[in-house]
Amino acid sequence: MPAVRDVLGVREYGASHGSHDHAHFQILIGLGGVLELELAGRGQRIAAGDGCVVPPGERHDFEARNGARCLVLDSHTGDWARVGSAPAPATLALAHYLAQACTQQLPRAQQLGPALLLEAWSPCSALPPARPRRAIDWDTLAHWALAGGPHTTVAELAARVHLSAAQLAARCRDERGQSTQHWLRDLRLAQAREWRAQGLSVAEVARRSGYRSPSALTAAQRRARG
């Protein structure tokens, strides 16, 4: 299977509220205006020169009341889990150049841009050397997640295996082929199917699974089936 390509681009944000998550890292660098972002329950303002790394599977809300322009990188590179929360000062100049390269459709700059951005964000001297990764017992983690009930969070899962949420997201993508949120959702839906097979009503299964109504549960099951 060919490697998934990182995608670099420039996006304009407006006053309309948005909310989503995605299965890859998303790196945002402000070029103009102010983007209001809520990530993992914390508010953040991305003005010119500010940056943010959104981990895979992390739902985030965003809006720009007076408009905002950002360089956006959608990346499947796991090294983004190891960078600092804010970009190094030199990153802004590179971001402006890459934004111009995207606008002018310069293929070489767009191809090399993701790697250059990662290097500029946290220079090699600031990145700790990669250590051997401790194996995750996914079956045991799944059992623990389900035993904790429907409100177990990704942060709690990560703490259980001594990782940050971003590190767990990268490991889940590499080892399970999906985001942490989707892995947890699939576990809960599989458990819901077992409860239904045992004769529980749809309403009771929805309550136990943490869905607000039977229709919300059936809608989630339809989405999971594609």
Side-chain angles (χ1 to χ4, degrees):
M1 180 181 297
V4 181
R5 186 172 66 90
D6 289 358
V7 178
L8 192 65
V10 177
R11 296 182 195 172
E12 305 283 345
Y13 294 89
S16 298
H17 178 269
S19 179
H20 61 214
D21 62 78
H22 26 66
H24 50 262
F25 287 95
Q26 187 170 81
I27 295 84
L28 302 163
I29 300 177
L31 300 172
V34 177
L35 178 65
E36 302 284 351
L37 188 71
E38 183 175 333
L39 177 64
R42 297 187 301 273
Q44 186 168 349
R45 297 173 77 256
I46 301 179
D50 296 329
C52 178
V53 178
V54 181
E58 192 75 65
R59 179 160 290 277
H60 48 289
D61 300 323
F62 53 91
E63 66 178 341
R65 295 175 185 174
N66 297 311
R69 186 169 181 261
C70 294
L71 181 72
V72 180
L73 171 63
D74 292 328
S75 177
H76 299 267
T77 301
D79 283 343
W80 282 105
R82 300 167 53 218
V83 304
S85 58
T91 309
L92 180 59
L94 175 62
H96 278 292
Y97 167 72
L98 292 176
Q100 182 179 7
C102 291
T103 302
Q104 297 178 358
Q105 295 292 305
L106 303 179
R108 185 70 171 165
Q110 289 177 289
Q111 178 185 2
L112 297 177
L116 292 174
L117 199 59
L118 175 62
E119 185 175 281
W121 190 290
S122 287
C124 293
S125 59
L127 275 175
R131 290 182 284 185
R133 301 200 298 185
R134 177 187 301 170
I136 296 175
D137 186 336
W138 291 99
D139 290 339
T140 298
L141 186 61
H143 178 77
W144 183 86
L146 293 176
H151 303 299
T152 300
T153 66
V154 170
E156 290 169 339
L157 288 176
R160 182 71 179 178
V161 291
H162 309 290
L163 296 173
S164 69
Q167 289 170 330
L168 180 61
R171 293 286 296 274
C172 196
R173 171 57 54 187
D174 290 346
E175 299 175 23
R176 312 306 295 179
Q178 58 186 156
S179 72
T180 322
Q181 291 280 13
H182 289 172
W183 176 75
L184 188 56
R185 177 207 62 189
D186 288 350
L187 286 179
R188 289 171 175 160
L189 291 179
Q191 186 180 56
R193 289 192 295 271
E194 292 180 6
W195 282 332
R196 283 291 289 143
Q198 294 169 10
L200 293 179
S201 68
V202 177
E204 177 62 15
V205 170
R207 185 191 68 79
R208 291 190 181 191
S209 302
Y211 288 91
R212 66 182 181 276
S213 66
S215 60
L217 172 61
T218 55
Q221 291 170 328
R222 284 197 300 271
R223 289 194 299 271
R225 290 194 295 266

